[in-house]
Amino acid sequence: NAGVTQTPKFQVLKTGQSMTLQCAQDMNHNSMYWYRQDPGMGLRLIYYSASEGTTDKGEVPNGYNVSRLNKREFSLRLESAAPSQTSVYFCASSEGPGQRYEQYFGPGTRLTVT
Amino acid sequence: AQKITQTQPGMFVQEKEAVTLDCTYDTSDPSYGLFWYKQPSSGEMIFLIYQGSYDQQNATEGRYSLNFQKARKSANLVISASQLGDSAMYFCAMREGWNSGGSNYKLTFGKGTLLTVNP
């Protein structure tokens, strides 16, 4: 099992460009998440999908959109990238809601917006 | 107010010694879960250990144990017999609200503690 995979690993964008970060999990998990990690800070939730067909905003959703394509895949789109979106992006998944389910993380995507 | 506080930006420990990484949390929800994750320099997030608010015993996973003091709202990670490979950033995180709807899904992270294990 690959676990949680993310593409690309690295990306450089110019201000105003758009891109989609891809995430897939092969653990048959119901819930998926997108976080960003900025220097000196822990991870902050951007969007999550509790189950296939649903998505909801997290703590820092502005400037992002998501799509839960199917149970396996959850993508994050930046429509018009800004330098403030320079960050490391992590996708995660868990069996379901409820606080005892740990989240499994992908390797991250390092995004730089110039 | 911060929900998760990790007061030690950096810690040093000698190989084979034990080390405690501090974590305090703030919630009014009686039902919550606490997690520790390790982030090595390669960047991935690795789940280490979980403690539920209703769990009667402190969680243990191999060399990792969680010193859970509910009244003090602390959930310190203890690593026994440190190894060079334990050098990494460690994050404490909390998931609230079994019955709180949306917040049930979010992990709230602390800012992390950078652990360095010296040979």
Side-chain angles (χ1 to χ4, degrees), chain B residues 8-28:
Chain B
Q8 307 152 313
M11 288 281 287
F12 293 90
V13 66
Q14 287 299 120
E15 196 177 5
K16 299 180 186 173
E17 291 185 351
V19 62
T20 298
L21 306 183
D22 294 342
C23 173
T24 57
Y25 59 93
D26 181 28
T27 181
S28 57

Side-chain angles (χ1 to χ4, degrees), chain B residues 42-101:
Chain B
S42 51
E44 71 269 32
M45 296 288 288
I46 302 167
F47 166 72
L48 296 177
I49 196 166
Y50 163 82
Q51 180 84 43
S53 60
Y54 294 120
D55 292 346
Q56 294 297 312
Q57 295 191 324
N58 287 345
T60 60
E61 291 284 349
R63 294 187 299 111
Y64 303 108
S65 60
L66 204 152
N67 184 0
F68 181 47
Q69 298 186 48
K70 196 169 180 177
R72 297 180 62 184
K73 294 189 174 178
S74 75
N76 299 339
L77 177 70
V78 181
I79 306 175
S80 64
S82 297
Q83 301 171 356
L84 295 177
D86 293 333
S87 293
M89 185 72 83
Y90 289 81
F91 290 97
C92 179
M94 175 173 65
R95 201 176 196 181
E96 298 174 278
W98 184 267
N99 296 313
S100 297

Side-chain angles (χ1 to χ4, degrees), chain A residues 30-104:
Chain A
N30 291 304
S31 303
M32 297 185 73
Y33 314 81
W34 277 104
Y35 290 89
R36 60 178 288 174
Q37 183 179 28
D38 299 304
M41 301 186 71
L43 280 68
R44 292 182 294 168
L45 183 67
I46 304 170
Y47 270 93
Y48 66 93
S49 172
S51 60
E52 188 179 354
T54 70
T55 61
D56 278 291
K57 295 178 181 178
E59 188 180 352
V60 288
N62 291 345
Y64 306 96
N65 284 302
V66 291
S67 296
R68 183 76 182 265
L69 304 169
N70 48 54
K71 191 172 186 179
R72 288 188 64 247
E73 298 173 286
F74 188 39
S75 63
L76 178 72
R77 182 158 179 86
L78 286 71
E79 290 291 350
S80 178
S84 60
Q85 294 178 304
T86 293
S87 190
V88 180
Y89 291 85
F90 288 96
C91 177
S93 71
S94 65
E95 285 189 46
Q99 51 282 37
R100 86 141 290 105
Y101 291 116
E102 63 266 31
Q103 294 181 12
Y104 294 88

